[in-house]
Amino acid sequence: MNNLNYDSNSETDRLIVVATHLGGIFFGFLPSLLVYLVKNDGWIKENAKNALNWQLTTLIYYGISWILVVVLIGLFLPWLIVVLNMVFCLVAAVRSSKGEAYRYPLTIEFIKF
């Protein structure tokens, strides 16, 4: 369901989804997990699922990068993950404000729906 367009979503729904994506920058997987568990609307749940999968994937990427930092191979990797997280979350927020369901690249799909 990559980049599906849902024009019938209300402003409140779009605001919830934008906040879910942007919340990942500051609070990790918690905002997307809360929205995923609380909301049952298809479009909101789809976006929360995509955001949650991305945030869980970044946790794995952070763990791997810090292991590589310890062995002095990946000194720049944690910063690269921070930048990617910010860019992907901002793109997702912009796209979802237009009513699209954004699917993050480089994501492991832990939650199918």
Side-chain angles (χ1 to χ4, degrees):
M1 295 187 163
N2 196 4
N3 296 332
L4 293 177
N5 196 346
Y6 296 86
D7 288 330
S8 63
N9 294 319
S10 70
E11 279 299 311
T12 305
D13 291 349
R14 289 182 187 194
L15 182 61
I16 290 169
V17 172
V18 168
T20 301
H21 290 297
L22 291 178
I25 296 172
F26 304 105
F27 304 110
F29 68 91
L30 291 177
S32 53
L33 177 63
L34 289 174
V35 172
Y36 183 78
L37 293 175
V38 171
K39 289 294 190 178
N40 288 324
D41 180 48
W43 181 72
I44 295 174
K45 195 157 186 125
E46 174 74 16
N47 274 281
K49 175 193 68 123
N50 292 337
L52 182 58
N53 281 330
W54 168 247
Q55 293 302 327
L56 293 174
T57 301
T58 58
L59 285 176
I60 292 172
Y61 291 162
Y62 281 129
I64 293 169
S65 70
W66 283 110
I67 291 170
L68 293 174
V69 166
V70 170
V71 295
L72 300 175
I73 295 173
L75 295 175
F76 69 95
L77 286 177
W79 296 108
L80 176 65
I81 295 167
V82 168
V83 170
L84 282 177
N85 186 39
M86 288 184 358
V87 169
F88 289 166
C89 287
L90 289 171
V91 169
V94 169
R95 291 235 179 124
S96 63
S97 73
K98 297 176 184 175
E100 300 175 11
Y102 180 73
R103 189 154 188 189
Y104 292 81
L106 306 172
T107 302
I108 301 168
E109 197 169 334
F110 295 105
I111 300 167
K112 304 289 185 193
F113 206 156

